[in-house]
Amino acid sequence: MNVTILGPLAEAGIQLPLYSHSVPAGFPSPAADHIEQKISLDELLNIRAPHMYLVRISGDSMQGAGIFDGDLAVVDKSIDAKHGHIVIGCVNNEPTCKRLCLRDSRVVLMAENTDYPARHILEGEEYTTWGVVTFSVRSHD
């Protein structure tokens, strides 16, 4: 799975209505027109520039984690990556999106699709974590 860095996010934005009622995916509710407050997508996605950035995901290796080809991922550089986090990692100058697994001080990048093998970081390879994926955004067009 490859990623395309889109750049840093700017703080502040327009505020959108947040409805107090959850919207069912089944039958509509008659009480669905209550606005609780206004929020911005910055607040909703917990975007705190300048340590946040967006990447566009390509490929299907993370579909088991709900991240699909073409999705935007919100990445936080300020979070210390831990075992189990989904990260943007860079192996030998090639960025990738994978689940971070730490095994006896070894780094293994795991796909969330059984069609892809684990990527063990070998001695002599360069690896850097570029941030932890906190949200993914998908267009439904």
Side-chain angles (χ1 to χ4, degrees), residues 93-108:
N93 294 319
E94 291 290 327
T96 188
C97 179
K98 296 287 184 275
R99 187 169 303 278
L100 179 65
C101 293
L102 302 174
R103 297 182 180 161
D104 302 323
S105 72
R106 293 179 301 142
V107 174
V108 181

Side-chain angles (χ1 to χ4, degrees), residues 6-139:
L6 299 177
L9 300 176
E11 285 192 78
I14 63 168
Q15 293 197 340
L16 303 172
L18 173 66
Y19 292 89
S20 61
H21 183 78
S22 296
V23 177
F27 296 103
S29 168
D33 57 354
H34 294 69
I35 294 178
E36 180 179 311
Q37 62 182 344
K38 288 194 173 210
I39 64 166
S40 72
L41 288 178
D42 295 358
E43 292 174 37
L44 183 65
L45 299 178
N46 201 24
I47 296 171
R48 299 170 316 279
H51 55 277
M52 304 292 287
Y53 65 96
L54 293 175
V55 298
R56 181 157 320 272
I57 302 296
S58 65
D60 62 355
S61 72
M62 292 303 288
Q63 66 186 11
I67 301 173
F68 295 91
D69 185 52
D71 284 359
L72 288 177
V74 178
V75 183
D76 189 334
K77 298 186 296 186
S78 72
I79 297 173
D80 289 328
K82 294 182 173 53
H83 177 81
H85 279 157
I86 295 173
V87 298
I88 303 300
C90 186
V91 182
N92 300 325
N93 294 319
E94 291 290 327
T96 188
C97 179
K98 296 287 184 275
R99 187 169 303 278
L100 179 65
C101 293
L102 302 174
R103 297 182 180 161
D104 302 323
S105 72
R106 293 179 301 142
V107 174
V108 181
L109 300 175
M110 303 292 295
E112 293 284 337
N113 180 335
T114 57
D115 291 342
Y116 296 88
R119 175 61 165 94
H120 296 261
I121 307 303
L122 304 173
E123 188 175 329
E125 291 187 303
E126 290 183 33
Y127 173 76
T128 305
T129 300
W130 284 2
V132 174
V133 174
T134 55
F135 293 94
S136 61
V137 181
R138 177 175 314 115
S139 172

